[in-house]
Amino acid sequence: MPEVYYAEDLTNLINTGTTSGVYRYISFAMANDYSKTKTFLGVNYLKQLETNGFKIYFSVNTFYAYKAITSTGSTTISITPFERTVGDVLVVAGGGGAGVSHGGGGGAGGYIYKQQAFNKSTLSVTVGGGGAGAPTGQNTIRGSNGQNSSIEDIVAIGGGGGGVYNVNGTGASGGSGGGGSIGHSSAGGDGDTYNSGSQRGRRGIGISGQGHDGGGGWHSSPGYPGGGGGGAGAVGQTKSGSDSGGAGGAGLSNSILGYTRWFAGGGGGWSHGYWGGSGGIGGGGLGGQPNVYTTGNGRHDAAPNSGGGGGASGHSVTGQLSGSGASGIVVVRFPIVYVAGGIGA
């Protein structure tokens, strides 16, 4: 992880005349007749950023200031004095909750990373919560979809919930689609037919540009595996009957925080006779252990603020839940450059 600098640190660097990389960068930016007085104005600018909740780091000859919003719900943030500046924006929605009883993994929340120009000093931000896992002991309610995240008019869609072993065997659609369960032949099947008499729950569909489809479940012994939830970077996995649950689709990596972190991985599906599917890199929950009938070992929630989908569980006791999806995150980042009068944006 990069070292985070505060205005006080930069003041000390200037006062001591250190030859650190940070000071050399400031000196280069102060080419010609710019004085330390003007740089101190820049330090005041940095203090204002800190007051507004921004953190500052130095990478590849550039200062960046970023703010990560992680608490679920709606709020406003001040980007003064970044007004009318083009910055980088990461918006990740909440991941979907997983299904039960050969359940499908939850789909990852929608993932958006782009440059954006803002023409106002205050921005509206919403961070979506993760969807609840399906309730155990009955098979009619699939995992809940995650909630949307947004900054102004940039909206990432919550991940789809995982399917359950019954009429809701199909994974829900969302930013990334939830994995399908195995379907139920007595309900006429609610999925495609891989081979005669072998129904599956259909995959949930992801949104182009935000995520991928989930995997399908497979109604075939001995595993009866559920499909993996879709991820921001890849589809959820579909497995055959003699295999583990489908793995969650991989998420995507991003360095907006100053270090590489993965977001929006899909949750793993459950299998009756084999291990649960792995969670997709980016916070996806691991599918539960085989033949585990209590939620203590049968569920795996997604990692907080990753937008990952929950891991599916099997036949569990009544009144508990399968793996929950993760909350999302919103991050804004601006480069700090030298302008007349000090450091600015």
Side-chain angles (χ1 to χ4, degrees):
M1 294 177 59
E3 184 176 358
V4 175
Y5 296 100
Y6 297 92
E8 180 180 351
D9 302 324
L10 299 180
T11 302
N12 291 334
L13 289 172
I14 293 166
N15 286 337
T16 59
T18 178
T19 57
S20 71
V22 175
Y23 183 72
R24 287 199 301 271
Y25 175 76
I26 294 175
S27 298
F28 177 77
M30 290 168 55
N32 302 320
D33 62 347
Y34 294 120
S35 67
K36 287 186 178 180
T37 302
K38 291 188 176 182
T39 302
F40 276 113
L41 292 177
V43 170
N44 292 333
Y45 167 90
L46 298 179
K47 288 181 178 178
Q48 184 178 2
L49 295 184
E50 292 167 15
T51 299
N52 290 338
F54 282 83
K55 293 184 178 180
I56 301 159
Y57 67 84
F58 184 76
S59 178
V60 194
N61 296 322
T62 303
F63 278 118
Y64 291 100
Y66 77 90
K67 183 169 185 176
I69 301 90
T70 57
S71 298
T72 57
S74 297
T75 188
T76 57
I77 63 170
S78 173
I79 59 170
T80 302
F82 287 131
E83 189 176 354
R84 294 178 298 279
T85 298
V86 175
D88 301 312
V89 177
L90 173 67
V91 185
V92 181
V100 296
S101 299
H102 311 275
Y111 173 103
I112 299 173
Y113 180 60
K114 62 181 295 187
Q115 285 191 329
Q116 182 72 17
F118 295 109
N119 295 316
K120 53 172 62 176
S121 59
T122 301
L123 305 178
S124 297
V125 175
T126 298
V127 175
T136 59
Q138 56 83 31
N139 302 321
T140 59
I141 303 174
R142 63 188 172 198
S144 299
N145 280 27
Q147 297 174 337
N148 298 347
S149 292
S150 64
I151 180 166
E152 293 297 302
D153 59 352
I154 303 171
V155 182
I157 305 301
V164 299
Y165 177 39
N166 206 306
V167 293
N168 283 320
T170 298
S173 296
S176 283
S181 181
I182 61 175
H184 199 303
S185 58
S186 65
D190 72 337
D192 303 329
T193 299
Y194 275 103
N195 50 59
S196 178
S198 181
Q199 277 82 25
R200 70 176 176 91
R202 293 178 179 173
R203 65 190 186 279
I205 305 302
I207 294 176
S208 177
Q210 294 197 22
H212 291 79
D213 298 347
W218 196 299
H219 193 127
S220 180
S221 65
Y224 301 97
V235 299
Q237 193 174 36
T238 299
K239 289 292 192 74
S240 68
S242 300
D243 213 332
S244 60
L252 290 172
S253 64
N254 195 290
S255 60
I256 193 170
L257 297 173
Y259 60 96
T260 299
R261 178 179 168 183
W262 289 76
F263 297 92
W270 193 82
S271 174
H272 180 77
Y274 301 90
W275 291 101
S278 60
I281 184 171
L286 172 70
Q289 298 178 27
N291 294 315
V292 172
Y293 300 108
T294 64
T295 193
N297 291 315
R299 64 174 279 182
H300 295 272
D301 295 339
N305 295 121
S306 68
S313 64
H315 306 287
S316 301
V317 297
T318 301
Q320 298 176 348
L321 298 174
S322 190
S324 297
S327 53
I329 189 171
V330 174
V331 184
V332 291
R333 182 183 74 170
F334 298 93
I336 299 174
V337 298
Y338 188 81
V339 296
I343 299 172

